Amino acid sequence: MVDSSSAERDLSEWRHFLGRLGEDARATSVYKMKLSGPAPHKLSLYPQSLRYGDPAIGEDILAGVWHIGQSELKLAPDASPWSVPNPSRHFADRLHRFEWMRHLMAVGPKGHRRARELLTDWVAHFGKWNGFVWRLPVTTERVWNWLVAGPILLENHGADSEVMNSLMRQMRHLQHSTGEYPEPIAVLKSLFTQLAMAFAADEGERRIASLEAQLEFTLNDQILADGGHISRNPEMVLNVLLDLQTIDDLYLRTGRPTLSFVAKMMPRIAGMLKFLRLSDGGLPIMNGSSEGNREDIKNALYPYSDTRAFSFATKTGIHKLEAEGTRMTLDAGHAPPGEFGTGAHAGCLALELEDQGERIITNCGSHVDVPPVWSGATRRTSGHSTLAVTGFDASQFVPVRSMGLQAPVGPTGVSAKRMEEKDTIWIDSQHSGWKDTHGLVYRRRLYMDGDGRRLTGEDTLFRPLSAGLTEDTEAIPYDIRFHMHPSVTLRPEEPDGHHIRIILPSGAAWVFKTKHERKSIERTVYLARGKVEKSWQLVLSGDADPNGDASNPANIVQWAFVKVV
């Protein structure tokens, strides 16, 4: 499955970054017997997905070219990707989820024919059992994607076909294993998939009612009062809303009323998605989110064009400053509970800035198609546009034993106050992420002019008066980072080089201003578009006085981004 020359390193990275979630599914001979059973003669109803299929990607697949993240697999047009070693376990993991199926569907009849061929070949290789590809999250997404493409993919396969028998074996596997699975986000997706299958296979009212109760309980556990997801990942908001809309459509098509908890929840989630959506139609980059698929976001929000707008999400902990097409987003929330935090980031008080839909400041981000070694690295505080005490994250990463992974905890003392006066808007925020280790509290104050042409910031490390003085007077090094989006160009301003010009693709220009002496332009990476892209970051470095406060120049840095063109 993986090229033998890199198999050992690949396996080591896989185990480190996937933990128990990367372990092969286990099945005794008795368990495998439980998966056997009759298949329906025909599926009666298929879910209609709102997710976008890109015909250009489908054409690549028809040509035998498979792209996932940075990796590429080239085959003869009629060859199967399961019949050759894959570039990595991560590549194979993504491949076996069948998310690429919608791109083949978008091509038309020739894509449909190829999809059926690939499905039949997959069943011949893996249809009865394979520990790696039958892991619950992979099986869940694969079955969902098969059902969504069902009118083309599954029609004309009788009850005695290998395809229908494999589908039902996988569904029984989900039914038997979901309740014991340790990762709650995968459990939610499994419930969506099982409910869709219950309609497709006419499994009866008792089965549907049981799944409805489980789904209600799980959603109430994961969706916050402001519509955000408990993981604080913006992409999860999009995914849950799309899946809820798909399930609700099944109810409408069978003449059933919308489930009451779904009717209450969908507008709330849509309001959060509308709040999160940036001017370019994508999502902010935080806690494992990518930029998202803009067509998916547009489709998800289409029924909710009149949903009210708001300026901050109280439960999710995200604030916005917005004026005349300039938007600043601030992550002012603490880490989610551990079982939901294995993809969360230590990016408290990180900001993002955009101008008329063009991203300027961002974070390194993440993407499901990027190898986990990269996504793991960008979870650290240094991968975000905020202050980091050198060698220490704002949140402490601790083990989540049920999953064999780490999740951030904290920081404590997170607060953010939004104020408006005349033509100025500002946010005063802070957290105590380094109070226990260094005795210092981090404060970030942000001001936006009413015309949106200037964002001013002040970053401070201070020792609270209640802590008294410390005898350890060794300076505490720190860095303030501003990660730039790969689309922008940086150019130091002459003659003194104190200012740095930021040029956007449209030709608009901003200038970064600061009197702070220790500044540099350094390389960084950006993952949020599904590949590892090189970019630049502005870095302001300093050494804080452990007994200092806002009156000590060593502990305070002032800066501004000013639009000049």
Side-chain angles (χ1 to χ4, degrees):
M1 189 173 296
V2 181
D3 188 338
S4 59
S5 64
S6 59
E8 186 174 340
R9 184 186 67 215
D10 181 62
L11 179 58
S12 176
E13 291 178 352
W14 180 261
R15 288 172 172 168
H16 179 74
F17 290 104
L18 273 295
R20 282 190 60 193
L21 309 187
E23 294 178 356
D24 286 4
R26 297 185 180 130
T28 64
S29 56
V30 173
Y31 183 80
K32 290 178 183 179
M33 290 177 59
K34 290 170 63 177
L35 302 184
S36 300
H41 290 281
K42 181 181 176 63
L43 299 182
S44 60
L45 185 67
Y46 296 103
Q48 297 178 344
S49 177
L50 297 174
R51 289 175 172 84
Y52 172 70
D54 187 339
I57 298 176
E59 291 286 357
D60 283 345
I61 294 174
L62 286 175
V65 181
W66 298 77
H67 291 281
I68 296 178
Q70 297 289 96
S71 299
E72 179 182 87
L73 183 64
K74 289 186 177 181
L75 305 170
D78 59 348
S80 162
W82 349 104
S83 61
V84 298
N86 288 172
S88 67
R89 284 177 173 267
H90 176 71
F91 190 101
D93 176 274
R94 303 304 303 163
L95 188 67
H96 284 276
R97 293 171 189 256
F98 276 71
E99 290 181 359
W100 45 266
M101 183 67 75
R102 65 179 184 270
H103 305 308
L104 273 180
M105 294 293 107
V107 172
K110 61 181 179 180
H112 302 167
R113 287 194 297 272
R114 184 62 177 141
R116 289 174 66 91
E117 292 170 357
L118 289 168
L119 172 67
T120 301
D121 195 60
W122 186 93
V123 169
H125 281 83
F126 307 106
K128 292 185 176 179
W129 181 265
N130 178 282
F132 180 78
V133 305
W134 281 56
R135 289 175 296 120
L136 185 131
V138 182
T139 303
T140 291
E141 292 194 30
R142 179 172 56 249
V143 172
W144 177 270
N145 289 318
W146 285 15
L147 290 175
V148 167
I152 293 167
L153 201 65
L154 301 175
E155 286 294 289
N156 302 320
H157 285 288
D160 59 346
S161 75
E162 292 300 318
V163 168
M164 290 302 294
N165 276 305
S166 177
L167 176 63
M168 295 311 299
R169 287 178 66 85
Q170 292 176 74
M171 280 307 307
R172 294 185 187 102
H173 175 50
L174 295 184
Q175 294 172 21
H176 293 316
S177 60
T178 295
E180 299 177 357
Y181 199 70
E183 208 279 299
I185 292 174
V187 168
L188 176 60
K189 183 68 177 186
S190 176
L191 293 174
F192 282 133
T193 301
Q194 290 181 62
L195 187 54
M197 189 64 187
F199 278 96
D202 293 324
E203 292 182 1
E205 295 300 319
R206 180 177 297 180
R207 170 70 173 153
I208 290 174
S210 173
L211 289 167
E212 288 172 350
Q214 294 176 66
L215 185 61
E216 181 178 14
F217 177 85
T218 304
L219 284 169
N220 284 332
D221 193 42
Q222 296 192 22
I223 302 301
L224 302 175
D226 60 10
H229 188 265
I230 194 169
S231 68
R232 303 188 63 250
N233 180 338
E235 205 161 5
M236 274 301 302
V237 177
L238 170 64
N239 289 336
V240 171
L241 181 58
L242 287 170
D243 290 344
L244 277 173
Q245 290 171 326
T246 301
I247 292 296
D248 188 48
D249 177 66
L250 294 174
Y251 281 78
L252 296 176
R253 287 157 57 199
T254 53
R256 300 164 182 259
T258 298
L259 294 169
S260 59
F261 66 90
V262 172
K264 293 177 182 178
M265 203 165 281
M266 283 198 298
R268 191 174 18 153
I269 299 172
M272 172 57 73
L273 183 60
K274 188 173 184 180
F275 162 78
L276 289 168
R277 182 177 59 172
L278 303 184
S279 299
D280 68 354
L283 298 172
I285 310 305
M286 57 182 69
N287 289 305
S289 179
S290 71
E291 289 187 7
N293 185 290
R294 286 154 178 77
E295 290 298 319
D296 289 351
I297 297 168
K298 183 168 65 175
N299 290 339
L301 289 177
Y302 179 78
Y304 302 100
S305 57
D306 297 330
T307 303
R308 67 181 180 88
F310 48 94
S311 298
F312 61 95
T314 54
K315 300 299 182 183
T316 306
I318 301 173
H319 288 252
K320 288 193 304 189
L321 294 180
E322 191 169 10
E324 302 298 328
T326 301
R327 179 181 299 182
M328 189 282 304
T329 305
L330 180 70
D331 181 357
H334 51 73
E339 64 270 26
F340 294 99
T342 55
H345 289 205
C348 189
L349 302 192
L351 65 86
E352 300 182 45
L353 180 66
E354 59 171 331
D355 174 24
Q356 306 296 332
E358 294 184 291
R359 300 186 188 224
I360 305 173
I361 307 171
T362 184
N363 300 303
C364 291
S366 186
H367 195 284
V368 292
D369 285 343
V370 173
V373 64
W374 283 100
S375 296
T378 58
R379 298 177 70 192
R380 322 305 299 201
T381 303
S382 58
H384 300 78
S385 293
T386 186
L387 182 146
V389 170
T390 304
F392 292 84
D393 292 304
S395 303
Q396 181 182 1
F397 283 87
V398 301
V400 180
R401 287 187 172 83
S402 62
M403 285 181 264
L405 294 170
Q406 289 192 330
V409 173
T412 59
V414 182
S415 67
K417 299 177 182 178
R418 175 189 173 93
M419 293 160 278
E420 299 186 29
E421 184 176 325
K422 295 183 180 179
D423 61 349
T424 301
I425 315 168
W426 71 92
I427 295 176
D428 191 345
S429 59
Q430 68 179 44
H431 72 67
S432 302
W434 299 289
K435 186 177 179 182
D436 290 342
T437 55
H438 297 81
L440 296 177
V441 173
Y442 171 44
R443 183 183 191 186
R444 166 163 271 184
R445 295 197 288 182
L446 302 164
Y447 308 79
M448 182 176 288
D449 289 354
D451 60 6
R453 297 183 66 89
R454 182 183 182 95
L455 175 69
T456 303
E458 181 181 275
D459 291 309
T460 308
L461 286 169
F462 68 91
R463 187 173 184 84
L465 290 174
S466 59
L469 297 180
T470 177
E471 295 181 358
D472 185 356
T473 58
E474 184 176 350
I476 300 170
Y478 63 88
D479 296 296
I480 302 166
R481 301 176 186 273
F482 300 97
H483 294 269
M484 298 290 115
H485 193 268
S487 63
V488 308
T489 302
L490 300 183
R491 189 178 69 212
E493 292 277 80
E494 300 296 342
D496 57 12
H498 283 320
H499 301 161
I500 297 171
R501 182 172 287 255
I502 304 166
I503 304 168
L504 309 187
S506 65
W510 289 66
V511 170
F512 176 67
K513 298 182 176 183
T514 183
K515 294 182 179 179
H516 191 73
E517 292 296 329
R518 292 173 56 188
K519 55 183 171 292
S520 60
I521 300 175
E522 300 178 7
R523 274 296 189 184
T524 185
V525 295
Y526 187 71
L527 311 183
R529 295 195 289 198
K531 54 186 177 180
V532 182
E533 299 180 76
K534 291 182 179 180
S535 190
W536 297 101
Q537 60 177 318
L538 307 177
V539 183
L540 307 179
S541 302
D543 294 294
D545 179 349
N547 286 312
D549 56 23
S551 66
N552 189 325
N555 291 49
I556 184 169
V557 179
Q558 296 174 325
W559 47 265
F561 288 87
V562 182
K563 189 172 183 178
V564 293
V565 177

